[in-house]
Amino acid sequence: MQLAERMSRLGTESAFDVLLRARALEAQGRDVIHLEIGEPDFDTPEHIVQAGIDALRHGDTHYTPAAGIPELRQAIADYVSQTRGIAVAQQQVVVTPGGKPVMFFVILALAGPGDEVICPDPGFPIYASAVEFAGARAVPLTLREEDGFAVDPETLRSLISDRTKLIILNSPHNPTGGVIPGSALDEIAAMAAERGIMVLSDEIYSRMVYDGAFESIAARPGMAEQTIILDGFSKTYAMTGWRLGYGVMPAALAEQVTRLAVNCHSCVPGFTQIAGVTALTGSQAPVEAMVAEFRRRRDAVVAGLNAIPGITCQMPAGAFYAFPNVSQIGDSAAIADRLLNEGGVAVLDGAAFGAAGRGYLRLSYANSLERLEAALERMRQVLADG
Ligand code: PLP
C-alpha cells in the first residue's frame, strides 16, 4: 500500500498510545494509576444524561442540520455572549463532534502551502499536526516555565511574518495548566488586530480557572471579528464520550467550516445536541462541584510533586494538569517509561507536546485524591531507586 505524501505530515496524540500500553499492563494483572488521559473522572450529570435519553425516546435519531440544531446554536450563542462579554449570533456558531474538529476545519479553511500558523510549544499536539497536514508550516511559540507557561507577547511578536495566517492560543493550557494574563491578552490582541491576523482561541478549559475570572481574547477591541473560539462540553460537563463541541467565528467563516462539516461528518446526533442544550441551560452546580474538587487535587498533587527530590512543579492556574520539571533527574521520556513499567503510574512525557516540553512530565489530576496520593508515593519510590 502506498500512502499519500500528506500522511507523513500527520502527527498524533500520545495520550492514546500510553493508554494502550497501560491497558496492556493491566491485562497482565498489574495495577496502573491513570494520570495520562485528559478527561474528567466524573460521570456526566444525571439531568444531562436524562435529556439525551428522553430525546432518543422521542425519536431524535435522524440527520440534523450540518451546523447544529437551532436550539443548541442559540443556547451556545447566548452562553458565549454572557461568558465572554461579546455579542454572538446563532449564525456564528458551528456545532461539531467534540471541540477537536474545530481545529482541523478552521486550519484547513485558513492555511495552506506557503502559510504559517503560530502554535504553542509545548501545546496540544493536534494543532501542529493539522497545520502540517494542511500543507502550511507550524511555527512553535515557546512557553516558558518562568512565565508561568503563559504566552510572552514579545516572543510572539518576533515570530509574526507576512506569511502568518493564524495564531493559536490555548488558555487555560494543556499540557501546563498555564493561563494567559489579561495584560498579555491586550498586547496579543493589539498585534493581531493591527496585522489582521486571525486567532484560534482554544477555550475548552475556560470553566477551570482557579485564580480570578476567565478572560477571552475575543472581547478585546477589534477581535470579535478575528477570533475563532473553540469550546465544548467534553471537559466542562464531563461529556468526552458524547462528542459535542463547537466553534464561534465570523459568520462568513462559519459557512465555510459548515461546508467542511458536510463533507466530513454531515451532522452531530440530535439527542447529543439536546443533551447539550440541557447542559448549558440547566443547573451548573455539578460543574462548580467538579472544579472545586479539581482545585483540592491540584493543591495536593503540586505539594506532593515538590516534595519529591529533584522535581519542581509550578502551581497551575487552570485546567486539570500539572507539568513538573524533572530535568534534574534525567530524560523525561525515560522517566515516563520507568514510572509506567516499574511503578504502574501512567504519565506523559512533556516532549509529546513539542520540543519545549522536554524535561517535563504531564500529569492529569482527573483521578481520586486517594489514587493521586498513591501515585505520588509510587513516583517517590521509583525515582529514589535511581
Ligand atoms: N483542546 C484541548 C487543549 C484539549 O486538551 C482537548 C482535549 O483533550 C480538546 C481541545 C478536544 O476536546 P474534545 O474531546 O471536545 O474534542
Side-chain angles (χ1 to χ4, degrees):
M1 179 176 59
Q2 195 148 21
L3 293 175
E5 179 276 330
R6 71 176 79 85
M7 290 304 289
S8 67
R9 291 182 265 121
L10 198 61
T12 190
E13 209 183 325
S14 73
F16 290 101
D17 299 338
V18 175
L19 180 63
L20 267 184
R21 287 171 53 205
R23 294 261 185 259
L25 286 177
E26 286 172 326
Q28 295 166 18
R30 292 275 306 277
D31 176 55
V32 178
I33 303 178
H34 291 274
L35 308 183
E36 77 280 40
I37 203 87
E39 71 172 336
D41 55 316
F42 298 87
D43 290 332
T44 305
E46 182 51 33
H47 67 287
I48 301 175
V49 174
Q50 194 57 51
I53 292 171
D54 290 348
L56 272 171
R57 290 263 175 251
H58 288 123
D60 235 322
T61 54
H62 299 272
Y63 288 132
T64 59
I69 58 172
E71 303 92 295
L72 181 59
R73 290 177 83 195
Q74 190 57 52
I76 291 167
D78 294 344
Y79 170 76
V80 174
S81 301
Q82 221 173 63
T83 49
R84 275 69 169 189
I86 53 175
V88 176
Q90 203 189 112
Q91 293 69 23
Q92 293 175 252
V93 178
V94 183
V95 177
T96 44
K100 219 182 209 179
V102 175
M103 297 169 199
F104 216 69
F105 294 159
V106 165
I107 289 165
L108 281 177
L110 295 180
D115 297 331
E116 292 179 352
V117 177
I118 298 178
C119 305
D121 178 10
F124 193 60
I126 302 306
Y127 306 141
S129 168
V131 168
E132 299 283 341
F133 190 75
R137 193 167 85 85
V139 177
L141 166 61
T142 303
L143 308 182
R144 296 183 195 85
E145 189 176 355
E146 57 268 32
D147 297 328
F149 296 111
V151 172
D152 168 43
E154 285 318 306
T155 307
L156 174 60
R157 190 188 304 280
S158 72
L159 298 174
I160 292 176
S161 78
D162 293 341
R163 290 186 289 277
T164 308
K165 280 285 158 56
L166 184 66
I167 297 168
I168 301 181
L169 302 178
N170 173 213
S171 176
H173 181 243
N174 177 7
T176 67
V179 169
I180 305 176
S183 56
L185 286 178
D186 291 341
E187 284 187 64
I188 298 166
M191 250 180 262
E194 186 195 327
R195 301 273 209 134
I197 300 170
M198 300 292 290
V199 172
L200 171 58
S201 182
D202 184 341
E203 303 180 359
I204 199 105
Y205 298 102
S206 57
R207 294 287 283 277
M208 291 159 192
V209 175
Y210 302 110
D211 310 297
F214 172 74
E215 291 191 65
S216 174
I217 193 165
R220 267 49 188 184
M223 288 307 291
E225 300 76 34
Q226 273 176 235
T227 305
I228 301 104
I229 294 175
L230 180 163
D231 202 342
F233 298 78
S234 299
K235 318 287 177 176
T236 304
Y237 298 101
M239 291 176 73
T240 47
W242 292 73
R243 307 312 298 137
L244 189 63
Y246 54 88
V248 175
M249 61 202 86
L253 181 59
E255 275 177 33
Q256 301 308 316
V257 167
T258 303
R259 287 206 304 146
L260 284 161
V262 171
N263 274 269
C264 178
H265 58 265
S266 296
C267 62
V268 177
F271 59 91
T272 306
Q273 296 190 62
I274 292 290
V277 173
T278 300
L280 289 179
T281 57
S283 167
Q284 301 300 298
V287 181
E288 284 149 25
M290 184 174 74
V291 174
E293 179 60 22
F294 280 144
R295 179 198 289 274
R296 260 193 298 282
R297 295 174 185 179
R298 172 193 73 151
D299 294 348
V301 164
V302 171
L305 286 168
N306 279 310
I308 298 175
I311 294 186
T312 55
C313 184
Q314 289 217 349
M315 185 62 82
F320 42 68
Y321 304 109
F323 204 61
N325 184 331
V326 295
S327 58
Q328 283 179 49
I329 301 175
D331 175 61
S332 52
I335 293 172
D337 277 346
R338 284 188 55 207
L339 289 174
L340 178 59
N341 295 325
E342 297 171 31
V345 180
V347 301
L348 300 184
D349 171 19
F353 297 87
R358 186 157 294 124
Y360 298 86
L361 299 177
R362 190 197 77 167
L363 280 67
S364 159
Y365 48 84
N367 207 324
S368 69
L369 255 184
E370 192 189 354
R371 292 292 272 170
L372 289 167
E373 297 288 1
L376 288 163
E377 184 47 39
R378 291 184 191 186
M379 288 177 73
R380 209 179 341 261
Q381 277 172 16
V382 170
L383 298 175
D385 290 344

